[in-house]
Amino acid sequence: MTDSSPSPAEAAEAPRRGVGRWTVVLAAAVALVVVAAIAFSVGRLSTLGEPTPSTTSAEAGFARDMQVHHQQGVELAMIIRDATDDDATRLLAYDIATTQAQQSGQMYAWLAEWGLPQFGAEPAMTWMTQPADDGEAHGGHGSGAGDGTSAHEPGDPMPGLATPEQIEELKSLEGVEAERMFLELMIAHHAGAVEMADAVLARSDYPVVVSLAEAIVASQQSEIALMEDMLAERS
């Protein structure tokens, strides 16, 4: 009878492999804590000395709603990261997840520093129905929101959000099919974030809000162009 028990060397190696996997998990968890702490500190320090926005302001509404929007971006990125072996897609997913997690931490910190609740009493997207500052606070960046108008009603879904059904479908896919659906969802998701950023730029001159909104517009429009090229390669 053949002895199928592991050799002494294999037996010694197995615990090391387990330790290695847990080391990776622990390192990732520590990294997320560090990113959140840094984002909180940056967000807190960057708001000192500025007048405090009200809880119903465009600044507060943007901070709350964009956190929710970014959280779904992180979720979609982590789904595709586990569903594909394609290096370019995994790198894109990592960049999206880390960037949007950091920005969410920054916006969380704004609300904490302003002494405002993380969840407002008014329905989501109410701030986007407010009049713009003469329609020309900072202009638009191609989404149509910069002209001071908005088709949104309070409580309407945030622009570009994937539905629960779409998320479940993405989870069921692998390989190129998963990549294709992820790119389609994330292009729409980024376009929605640009629309929201343009809307707050038309309604706010608050320096840190303007700085982050402009960064979101620039980075996500660049990633939209990249993802459109990636999607064309997979059509």
Side-chain angles (χ1 to χ4, degrees):
M1 179 180 297
T2 302
D3 186 0
S4 60
S5 61
S7 67
E10 292 171 335
E13 179 65 20
R16 285 198 293 270
R17 287 196 300 268
V19 170
R21 285 193 294 270
W22 280 110
T23 300
V24 172
V25 172
L26 179 60
V30 170
L32 287 175
V33 171
V34 171
V35 166
I38 292 173
F40 185 92
S41 299
V42 170
R44 184 178 188 279
L45 292 174
S46 63
T47 63
L48 295 179
E50 297 290 343
T52 302
S54 71
T55 193
T56 58
S57 65
E59 292 86 358
F62 172 77
R64 293 181 183 118
D65 289 343
M66 190 60 86
Q67 282 188 69
V68 174
H69 205 273
H70 273 14
Q71 286 162 10
Q72 188 184 86
V74 173
E75 179 184 9
L76 294 172
M78 298 311 294
I79 291 171
I80 192 60
R81 188 176 180 275
D82 292 337
T84 181
D85 293 325
D86 180 69
D87 289 339
T89 304
R90 287 171 61 85
L91 178 60
L92 173 64
Y94 176 82
D95 288 345
I96 289 172
T98 54
T99 298
Q100 297 198 15
Q102 188 276 333
Q103 291 175 345
S104 291
Q106 189 173 345
M107 289 180 283
Y108 181 97
W110 294 347
L111 293 167
E113 179 60 27
W114 297 338
L116 302 178
Q118 294 295 327
F119 302 95
E122 71 280 1
M125 309 306 297
T126 298
W127 65 275
M128 279 187 70
T129 67
Q130 298 177 7
D133 295 339
D134 297 326
E136 55 184 22
H138 284 274
H141 296 81
S143 72
D147 61 2
T149 63
S150 175
H152 282 82
E153 297 291 338
D156 276 359
M158 296 178 198
L161 280 189
T163 65
E165 293 77 15
Q166 288 172 321
I167 292 175
E168 288 304 312
E169 182 179 355
L170 179 61
K171 288 179 179 179
S172 72
L173 302 176
E174 293 182 350
V176 175
E177 287 186 351
E179 294 163 19
R180 188 181 298 114
M181 184 170 188
F182 166 76
L183 292 168
E184 291 171 348
L185 293 178
M186 192 57 75
I187 288 169
H189 197 272
H190 273 24
V194 171
E195 181 179 345
M196 293 169 67
D198 265 341
V200 81
L201 287 171
R203 290 162 173 79
S204 177
D205 285 310
Y206 202 89
V208 295
V209 176
V210 169
S211 178
L212 180 59
E214 289 179 338
I216 289 172
V217 169
S219 64
Q220 299 211 10
Q221 283 186 333
S222 176
E223 286 181 345
I224 286 173
L226 170 63
M227 290 188 291
E228 287 175 340
D229 289 342
M230 294 174 67
L231 184 59
E233 294 170 357
R234 291 161 175 78
S235 61

